[in-house]
Amino acid sequence: MSRLIGAELNRWFSRRLVWVVFAASVLLTLLVVAGTAYSARPMSSQELAYAEQQYTEMKQEAEREAQQCLRDGGTADECAPWTPERSDFVREPPPYAALAGGMAQAGTMIAAYAALLAGASFIGAEFKTGNIGTWLTYVPSRLPVLVSKAVAAAVGVTLLGVAVIGLFQAGAAGIVLAWAEPGALQPAAEAWAMAGRGLLLVLTAGLVGFALAGLFGSTVGPVGLLLGLMVLQWAIGLIALVLGGSAWLQAALPDPNIQAFLAGSTEIAYVERGPNGAMVEATYTLGLGQASAYLGGLLAVVLALAGWRFTTREIR
């Protein structure tokens, strides 16, 4: 088995598409980090003076409009002025915890899509070219071949996730050190935990892509299924707005569970019929434990189906 895994690891890191996906992910990561750094930069003295002027003028204008409303006969509640916030005009460097959390989410999404594509193409290409038949000529026992390929894919996508998520977290720390006040780089356990769970999601995405490609016998299958799920989730969300009462159906889809696993929990908004017959808004909280069980079960089922299909498929 170790020799099979070594051969598959060598094949993984020898594939051009793997390095193209890796380079594209790193480039996109750097662009996002650079854009975030630019938007988080401190305001210059000229920009700050102009923002303060705009804030003062808008505040005075809101007060004048409220007074005019009262003179026109409006009530105090009707004429309550909209008070602009200074933060609407003056940009402050974001706190490290919020920045690291946002970076963890962005890094996970980029790395997960890249891992899905890399994992799917790793075995899908062998079915397309027919190389899988050659492998099974030398190693007639199919399950060790599949396991060795899955291990190589897991190692490869994990390294991809570490690189992308690590770059995002390094970027968050660098932005804070460059723009914020001294001592702003405080511990952010929740954001770091999110980054760790993000790495698990990247591994899961890579293995799901690998398993689905093995199940369908092509790289296109997982990509098509992903697009189909996106359309299905959009349709179910529309049904939830029109008919209501579909929180359980939304909770059975991958996307809310991915969000809940990454963030620790998520709320699903839906409408239901109230006691008087009217439709009222409601929320359903999807927790980390439920999302973990869902994603773990989904991965186990997909891997089991891929293993069954691989060991029973007629390969020429």
Side-chain angles (χ1 to χ4, degrees):
M1 176 63 74
S2 61
R3 296 179 65 182
L4 282 175
I5 294 175
E8 292 298 338
L9 284 171
N10 181 66
R11 198 174 71 82
W12 174 276
F13 290 107
S14 298
R15 298 196 70 239
R16 182 178 302 173
L17 180 60
V18 167
W19 290 106
V20 170
V21 170
F22 179 82
S25 302
V26 170
L27 178 60
L28 182 57
T29 296
L30 295 176
L31 290 175
V32 173
V33 171
T36 304
Y38 180 79
S39 63
R41 75 193 190 284
M43 302 180 73
S44 66
S45 57
Q46 293 83 0
E47 290 175 328
L48 183 59
Y50 180 74
E52 293 285 6
Q53 179 185 353
Q54 291 292 104
Y55 168 62
T56 302
E57 290 177 355
M58 289 296 296
K59 188 175 181 180
Q60 293 172 351
E61 180 65 24
E63 293 172 353
R64 283 195 297 268
E65 290 180 355
Q67 293 172 1
Q68 183 63 43
C69 177
L70 290 172
R71 286 194 295 269
D72 293 340
T75 65
D77 289 339
E78 292 173 343
C79 300
W82 166 74
T83 304
E85 299 291 336
R86 184 174 180 271
S87 58
D88 296 332
F89 301 87
V90 179
R91 183 181 67 248
E92 300 287 350
Y96 171 64
L99 193 58
M103 291 291 199
Q105 293 186 26
T108 298
M109 292 301 103
I110 291 175
Y113 282 120
L116 181 74
L117 176 60
S121 67
F122 181 56
I123 191 171
E126 291 198 77
F127 283 100
K128 181 179 180 180
T129 60
N131 289 340
I132 191 67
T134 305
W135 256 119
L136 296 179
T137 300
Y138 289 99
V139 186
S141 182
R142 294 188 176 188
L143 192 56
V145 172
L146 182 64
V147 171
S148 65
K149 293 180 181 297
V151 170
V155 172
V157 298
T158 299
L159 293 176
L160 171 65
V162 169
V164 172
I165 295 176
L167 281 174
F168 267 103
Q169 290 303 305
I175 291 171
V176 171
L177 291 174
W179 301 136
E181 296 294 329
L185 193 61
Q186 299 292 332
E190 185 175 345
W192 296 340
M194 190 183 300
R197 292 194 297 269
L199 186 58
L200 292 177
L201 279 176
V202 173
L203 173 60
T204 301
L207 288 177
V208 166
F210 171 85
L212 290 177
L215 185 62
F216 294 125
S218 71
T219 306
V220 179
V223 178
L225 182 61
L226 178 63
L227 294 175
L229 280 175
M230 293 173 64
V231 174
L232 178 62
Q233 289 178 152
W234 175 83
I236 289 177
L238 184 61
I239 292 172
L241 291 176
V242 176
L243 302 180
S246 65
W248 65 270
L249 187 56
Q250 295 183 68
L253 294 172
D255 190 54
N257 286 277
I258 291 173
Q259 295 178 20
F261 182 81
L262 184 59
S265 66
T266 191
E267 290 187 346
I268 298 175
Y270 65 102
V271 292
E272 61 182 3
R273 194 170 300 278
N276 59 354
M279 303 300 287
V280 296
E281 294 184 359
T283 58
Y284 173 77
T285 301
L286 189 61
L288 177 60
Q290 185 177 348
S292 301
Y294 176 95
L295 294 175
L298 179 64
L299 177 60
V301 169
V302 172
L303 287 175
L305 288 174
W308 166 78
R309 186 72 179 104
F310 190 79
T311 54
T312 57
R313 183 192 304 269
E314 181 180 354
I315 300 177
R316 299 176 180 176

